[in-house]
Amino acid sequence: LDLFSYISLLIAHTAMPSNSRRSSVVAPLSPLFTFLNYLAFFGWSYVLYLVSVLLLPALPSVPSDFIATVQTPVLVLEGICIIEVLRIAVGDLPGNLLLGVVLHAIRLVAITQVLSHSALEGLWTGPAVILSWAVTEVSRYPMYIFPDSAVCRSIRMVVPLVTFPIGAISEGYGAFTVFVQSDTDVLVKILLAGMLFVNGILGPTMAYPALLKKGLPVLGLGTSKKSDASKKKN
């Protein structure tokens, strides 16, 4: 995500829940999950609104209170994402549990330990990361809300092709900046080292190629698996 966020965007998060896979344990909570989808969509839309009202009047500067202002709604929305990871764990959503855990662990580290650090105050690192997260999520939830919409699914597949590099590079820069600060705690440095590995190694070699494989066919620039399968049959 956003860094590694995007392997999960395609594997842990983008996959649509299937009625045949729905766990009997959480099936009665289906209306709640539908409500959370709407809440997340409008919540991330609100984050986009906050970004615009905070940044536009201050351009080209970044308000010193930018992260402090958006931090609480982002943490609440990440809580909804954690619920989605738990649903993966119980089989109610298809996806890779490990990748979902890694994705949101990195986001939590970024919003609590990286973007809020004084070394990044006034820089565009924070706005770039938050904007990439918000645009990604606003483009994701309509696919849940309107599961039969090909347009929503196509948007979901294409948007991360742009938001991934913006988020991954910005997160990586922020993590490195905080890592080299003398006042950064050793435990935080360990977390940041893992974050840098994910963003710098796994992101470009695993996450983005996976995104391209999903998104380029939507733009008519690649061949989807379905097309390959149909060609083999013929």
Side-chain angles (χ1 to χ4, degrees):
L1 349 149
D2 61 79
L3 52 93
F4 196 38
S5 132
Y6 294 95
I7 284 187
S8 202
L9 286 179
L10 294 171
I11 303 176
H13 278 244
T14 58
M16 294 301 302
S18 166
N19 289 333
S20 62
R21 289 176 58 95
R22 183 169 294 281
S23 168
S24 59
V25 177
V26 297
L29 298 176
S30 181
L32 172 62
F33 297 146
T34 299
F35 169 76
L36 290 178
N37 287 337
Y38 278 97
L39 180 63
F41 173 76
F42 288 111
W44 284 108
S45 297
Y46 174 66
V47 171
L48 283 179
Y49 166 76
L50 286 179
V51 170
S52 65
V53 299
L54 288 170
L55 292 183
L56 291 180
L59 288 175
S61 301
V62 175
S64 59
D65 63 343
F66 175 81
I67 292 300
T69 303
V70 302
Q71 188 176 52
T72 297
V74 168
L75 285 172
V76 170
L77 292 165
E78 275 302 296
I80 295 177
C81 292
I82 290 172
I83 291 175
E84 294 174 7
V85 173
L86 293 175
R87 292 176 64 192
I88 293 174
V90 300
D92 187 53
L93 277 179
N96 187 301
L97 178 61
L98 177 60
L99 293 178
V101 171
V102 171
L103 158 63
H104 295 294
I106 288 178
R107 281 194 179 183
L108 290 174
V109 171
I111 192 65
T112 60
Q113 303 297 326
V114 176
L115 303 181
S116 58
H117 197 282
S118 59
L120 296 176
E121 186 176 305
L123 301 183
W124 274 88
T125 309
V129 171
I130 298 300
L131 189 61
S132 70
W133 292 357
V135 172
T136 296
E137 298 300 335
V138 167
S139 71
R140 177 167 73 92
Y141 281 99
M143 191 178 73
Y144 282 142
I145 296 170
F146 305 106
D148 297 326
S149 172
V151 172
C152 290
R153 183 169 182 80
S154 295
I155 292 173
R156 177 65 190 86
M157 294 300 170
V158 171
V159 168
L161 300 183
V162 177
T163 58
F164 169 80
I166 295 173
I169 293 171
S170 300
E171 290 170 5
Y173 174 78
F176 179 78
T177 300
V178 175
F179 183 89
V180 300
Q181 300 302 309
S182 59
D183 63 343
T184 301
D185 186 77
V186 173
L187 177 59
V188 174
K189 286 194 174 188
I190 293 173
L191 294 174
L192 295 179
M195 185 174 172
L196 287 167
F197 175 74
V198 169
N199 280 52
I201 305 299
L202 298 184
T205 61
M206 294 176 61
Y208 201 56
L211 284 168
L212 291 172
K213 201 169 185 179
K214 293 282 187 177
L216 290 181
V218 176
L219 298 173
L221 300 175
T223 304
S224 66
K225 289 182 178 180
K226 290 183 178 179
S227 298
D228 290 337
S230 61
K231 287 180 180 178
K232 288 179 181 180
K233 289 181 179 180
N234 294 333

